[in-house]
Amino acid sequence: MDSLITVWNALPFIVGGSLVTIATVCIALGMGLVFGVPLAVGQVYGSPVVQRLVGLYVWFFRGVPILVLLFLFFGLFVGLGLPVEPFLVSCVVLGLTSTAYQSQIFRGAIQSLPQGQLKAARALGMSDGAAIRSIILPQALRLSIPGWANEFSILLKDSAICYVLGTQEIMARTNFVAARTHEHLALFAAAGLLYCLITMVGLYLLRRLENKTHIPGYSTGMN
Amino acid sequence: MMQNTENVLRIHEISKNLGGKAILKSCSLDVARGELKVLIGPSGAGKSTLLQCINCLIQPDSGEIWLNGQQLRRHDKKELCAFRTQVGMIFQDFNLFDHLTAEANVAVALRKVKGMNRHDALQRAREELGRVGLARRAALYPAQLSGGQKQRVAIARALAMDPTVILLDEPTSALDPELVGEVLAVIRDLARGGMTMVMATHQMDFARALATEILFMEQGVIIERGTPDALLAAGAGTRTQAFFTRLQDMGDESAS
Ligand SMILES: Nc1ncnc2c1ncn2[C@@H]1O[C@H](COP(=O)(O)OP(=O)(O)O)[C@@H](O)[C@H]1O
Ligand SMILES: [Mg+2]
């Protein structure tokens, strides 16, 4: 019973950390979306130089563990005289990493569209920029939602590692209480459930987005 | 025959190599206002490649393209976009924008290319859909339309840009036989209305009835050209006629 009481008492503190976790994940996902889309477009339609640069970026951020990146960027922030705020560093590292993964989700979606879509847009006199904005991306982004939901759930779990910098998210707060009360089992079980709950809600919302943006009569299995 | 000397579209000695193979060898073509040129020839002859070279969806290796007496500088992106708004294209497999309703398919280029506002573009789109008999399907998505309806939307989409010329690449080849007629009827109306067109097709009866000139193409070369009467006359002994007869035999076989 003691452990339950400990968990109960610590719960507001730990649940408060989920706000930090959610904020980190939302900012990182948003960053990944904002930078990942142009990267994907560059990789598919850009000049060979642009394609190489995007490839290099993706190679680096997929290759280096997030834990290493956290310390690397921490050092970088210190070196550049930037505010060494753990939350900020965590968002930047997760955001840049997610950019790499998301760019590949979008690239795959763009490349899965039939060639004729771009041809038809060009044949109407659209510039490539207009064709990509009005024809290619609206379709590619729809196709990306399932992959994006996967990226969300992975990013949420990866965000736990940001506790090493002292970011006050779920994991850091749980660890803090556990170190004082020695109720590891109960506390981490609660933390685990919390992550599951956030994943569930997030995936549910993305599922709704997918249904809402579904094109009538269109089957996504093929094509 | 009416002689119309005003050349709207002039294609001069277009050549194209792909994968080390000569796909088009010095193809030339002059199209006067109101003409319907029909490209025929076996599969793989280069008809699609030629049509797509005309609006530079495939950049030709050499040759000249003229529209209304002006030579296209085909590597100038702005000029190419302006040229393409004047040259409509209909594809074999429709290429409708899958995420847009029929009316939005027609309206999107009016907005993004011609700068029309949403309201005017949609109104124009509905007019064009009405012209091809699809007024009541305006709010449906491509996946909710039959093949024949899709191709008519594609025609409405091209017409909305007020093109000078329309290129049609086997517009009925992907259709179930019972849907071919409705699309041909629309194209026939366009031809009678004086629209200038270049069309690749295997619909020989249509070509015979409406073409001002038939061009027979084989292995990247236009090897015969002339009026349907000249090329298809009994005993003309032309390649075109032999091809026509073979298509008819095949049609009879599959019918029996
Ligand atoms: N990208 C390509 N690379 C190499 N060969 C091609 C390519 N596209 C088309 N071809 C070849 O060009 C020839 C002409 O094709 P196409 O213009 O589609 O003929 P048609 O429309 O008359 O059936 C075919 O032999 C085809 O295999
Ligand atoms: Mg073809």
Side-chain angles (χ1 to χ4, degrees):
Chain A
M1 275 303 102
D2 280 359
S3 49
L4 279 184
I5 290 166
T6 306
V7 170
W8 182 252
N9 288 334
L11 212 53
F13 180 62
I14 293 173
V15 170
S18 67
L19 291 181
V20 180
T21 294
I22 291 169
T24 310
V25 170
C26 286
I27 291 169
L29 273 176
M31 245 177 97
L33 181 65
V34 170
F35 297 130
V37 170
L39 250 54
V41 169
Q43 204 173 11
V44 178
Y45 300 112
S47 65
V49 176
V50 172
Q51 292 181 18
R52 282 285 292 275
L53 286 176
V54 176
L56 208 66
Y57 178 91
V58 172
W59 168 78
F60 180 79
F61 280 96
R62 287 205 298 196
V64 182
I66 290 176
L67 188 55
V68 175
L69 287 173
L70 283 169
F71 286 121
L72 186 68
F73 274 75
F74 194 84
L76 201 65
F77 271 54
V78 172
L80 293 174
L82 293 169
V84 189
E85 167 62 44
F87 175 71
L88 192 66
V89 179
S90 303
C91 288
V92 167
V93 166
L94 289 183
L96 293 177
T97 305
S98 190
T99 297
Y101 284 100
Q102 287 190 46
S103 73
Q104 297 311 292
I105 296 173
F106 302 138
R107 178 179 66 91
I110 291 172
Q111 287 175 333
S112 75
L113 296 175
Q115 291 271 322
Q117 296 286 307
L118 186 60
K119 273 195 176 172
R122 283 179 172 157
L124 287 163
M126 282 194 211
S127 66
D128 281 8
I132 289 167
R133 277 192 307 275
S134 305
I135 307 301
I136 301 300
L137 287 180
Q139 296 185 54
L141 290 179
R142 279 182 172 89
L143 293 178
S144 298
I145 296 175
W148 212 75
N150 199 38
E151 170 65 11
F152 155 74
S153 68
I154 291 170
L155 196 61
L156 175 64
K157 294 195 282 183
D158 282 350
S159 74
I161 208 168
C162 297
Y163 94 101
V164 296
L165 293 186
T167 311
Q168 286 301 300
E169 40 70 77
I170 298 172
M171 176 65 192
R173 291 188 182 202
T174 311
N175 203 37
F176 178 84
V177 180
R180 273 154 191 76
T181 61
H182 304 288
E183 294 288 356
H184 286 79
L185 178 62
L187 283 166
F188 281 104
L193 278 175
L194 203 52
Y195 278 109
C196 282
L197 200 70
I198 300 171
T199 308
M200 220 172 72
V201 172
L203 291 181
Y204 168 75
L205 291 175
L206 285 170
R207 191 79 210 203
R208 281 194 43 175
L209 180 69
E210 192 180 342
N211 290 336
K212 220 181 133 164
T213 56
H214 178 257
I215 302 160
Y218 189 76
S219 72
T220 37
M222 309 301 267
N223 250 315
Chain B
M1 266 214 71
M2 272 259 297
Q3 199 60 42
N4 190 341
T5 48
E6 189 193 354
N7 273 340
V8 175
L9 180 69
R10 179 171 154 77
I11 304 303
H12 187 67
E13 301 196 337
I14 293 270
S15 295
K16 181 70 189 175
N17 293 319
L18 281 170
K21 213 177 103 194
I23 308 292
L24 295 178
K25 298 171 202 156
S26 205
C27 294
S28 298
L29 178 64
D30 287 310
V31 191
R33 187 169 303 284
E35 269 199 299
L36 169 60
K37 299 270 191 198
V38 169
L39 275 177
I40 63 168
S43 173
K47 305 181 293 293
S48 298
T49 310
L50 177 58
L51 287 171
Q52 293 187 52
C53 277
I54 294 178
N55 64 358
C56 300
L57 287 181
I58 299 173
Q59 279 282 359
D61 295 336
S62 61
E64 295 170 7
I65 299 158
W66 297 69
L67 187 70
N68 291 326
Q70 282 235 320
Q71 189 180 352
L72 169 69
R73 283 169 297 177
R74 60 175 186 267
H75 295 290
D76 178 329
K77 279 189 180 153
K78 265 217 156 102
E79 193 173 317
L80 185 53
C81 285
F83 172 87
R84 284 171 176 163
T85 61
Q86 294 188 65
V87 180
M89 181 157 230
I90 306 299
F91 300 87
Q92 185 172 346
D93 41 11
F94 329 124
N95 292 343
L96 291 185
F97 305 130
D98 291 321
H99 64 304
L100 298 177
T101 60
E103 61 187 7
N105 258 279
V106 181
V108 66
L110 291 174
R111 297 182 64 196
K112 304 295 166 187
V113 179
K114 298 220 158 168
M116 282 171 77
N117 68 42
R118 193 184 142 78
H119 176 267
D120 292 351
L122 280 176
Q123 186 166 331
R124 176 71 199 270
R126 292 189 193 117
E127 280 168 29
E128 292 300 340
L129 288 172
R131 242 173 108 177
V132 297
L134 290 174
R136 288 175 52 230
R137 306 264 185 261
L140 294 184
Y141 285 84
Q144 299 170 312
L145 299 172
S146 73
Q149 291 169 341
K150 282 185 208 175
Q151 195 59 294
R152 281 146 68 200
V153 173
I155 293 171
R157 182 172 72 175
L159 289 175
M161 303 302 285
D162 294 316
T164 310
V165 188
I166 300 183
L167 313 172
L168 303 101
D169 188 5
E170 299 198 34
T172 59
S173 294
L175 299 177
D176 292 333
E178 75 272 20
L179 301 177
V180 169
E182 64 186 67
V183 172
L184 287 183
V186 170
I187 300 169
R188 182 178 300 123
D189 287 347
L190 285 178
R192 291 193 177 137
M195 179 58 78
T196 311
M197 293 185 279
V198 182
M199 174 176 176
T201 188
H202 289 300
Q203 298 291 329
M204 294 302 290
D205 291 328
F206 181 88
R208 163 172 254 166
L210 288 163
T212 44
E213 188 177 46
I214 290 178
L215 302 114
F216 186 84
M217 207 171 165
E218 197 173 64
Q219 293 182 6
V221 184
I222 299 171
I223 56 173
E224 281 177 5
R225 57 178 91 205
T227 62
D229 287 344
L231 291 181
L232 296 172
T238 57
R239 295 294 306 277
T240 310
Q241 199 204 25
F243 185 72
F244 186 18
T245 310
R246 202 159 66 237
L247 278 185
Q248 269 190 330
D249 291 347
M250 268 157 43
D252 293 345
E253 263 169 48
S254 63
S256 62

